[in-house]
């Protein structure tokens, strides 16, 4: 692995991502956050730093579908998760990260009984998030 040049912006970005472990953020989210704090970081710098963090296996990059921006998630080096499924709300676009034993069992079942290797990092379940389902229920009553 290449040596890591620890810049102030890299440390700020890494700290931001660590504070949002388990959440998905876009480069635009990151830029907006730092701008709101009075510490603007250029979009190119954000992408360059994210690419380096991906290479170092500290960040995962997800492209859920053609209509969505890439999103990024901090990876805790101490955690050893094998699966990372996602749910995407078809109403608001919210992306929900899942670590679920039952889904891991489904992944094993597909492999053992159907000879199909599911890619959990690219598997997305589409439907309604809790908030949108509740709003739709209230609207229909």
């Amino acid at each position: 692995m290449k040596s890591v040049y620890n810049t102030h912006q890299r440390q700020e970005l890494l700290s931001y991502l660590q504070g949002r472990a388990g959440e998905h953020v876009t480069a635009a989210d990151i830029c907006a956050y730092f701008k709101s704090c009075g510490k603007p970081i250029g979009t190119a710098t954000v992408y360059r730093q994210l690419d380096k963090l991906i290479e170092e296996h500290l960040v995962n990059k997800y492209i859920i579908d053609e209509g969505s921006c890439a999103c990024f998630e901090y990876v805790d080096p101490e955690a050893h998760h094998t699966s990372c499924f996602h749910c995407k709300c078809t109403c608001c676009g919210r992306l929900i990260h899942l670590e679920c034993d039952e889904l891991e069992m489904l992944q094993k079942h597909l492999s053992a009984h159907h000879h199909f290797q599911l890619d959990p990092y690219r598997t997305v379940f589409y439907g309604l998030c809790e908030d949108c389902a509740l709003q739709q229920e209230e609207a229909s009553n």
Side-chain angles (χ1 to χ4, degrees), residues 120-132:
Y121 292 95
R122 296 188 47 141
T123 301
V124 180
F125 298 97
Y126 291 88
L128 295 176
C129 70
E130 183 178 19
D131 293 339
C132 290

Side-chain angles (χ1 to χ4, degrees), residues 4-23:
V4 176
Y5 184 62
N6 232 351
T7 66
H8 178 69
Q9 289 178 328
R10 173 195 160 82
Q11 282 305 113
E12 291 273 337
L13 177 59
L14 188 56
S15 178
Y16 169 82
L17 293 168
Q18 288 170 330
R20 282 151 188 80
E23 294 180 29

Side-chain angles (χ1 to χ4, degrees), residues 29-129:
D29 295 334
I30 296 167
C31 290
Y33 168 78
F34 284 108
K35 184 176 181 181
S36 74
C37 293
K39 306 178 204 175
I41 299 177
T43 304
T45 301
V46 168
Y47 276 111
R48 189 170 44 255
Q49 292 298 330
L50 287 169
D51 286 343
K52 289 176 183 177
L53 292 170
I54 292 165
E55 284 178 20
E56 296 166 30
H57 305 288
L58 293 173
V59 169
N60 282 337
K61 177 180 180 177
Y62 302 102
I63 301 174
I64 301 302
D65 54 39
E66 291 179 19
S68 300
C69 295
C71 55
F72 304 88
E73 178 187 28
Y74 173 73
V75 178
D76 183 351
E78 302 299 316
H80 301 288
H81 301 292
T82 58
S83 298
C84 178
F85 298 94
H86 294 90
C87 292
K88 182 168 182 176
C89 181
T90 55
C91 186
C92 70
R94 181 175 171 214
L95 186 64
I96 302 164
H97 177 84
L98 296 177
E99 288 178 23
C100 178
D101 293 338
E102 285 80 9
L103 290 174
E104 289 186 24
M105 289 173 37
L106 173 64
Q107 182 180 8
K108 290 176 184 174
H109 171 81
L110 287 171
S111 178
H113 297 280
H114 303 282
H115 311 290
F116 184 79
Q117 300 298 312
L118 185 68
D119 180 354
Y121 292 95
R122 296 188 47 141
T123 301
V124 180
F125 298 97
Y126 291 88
L128 295 176
C129 70

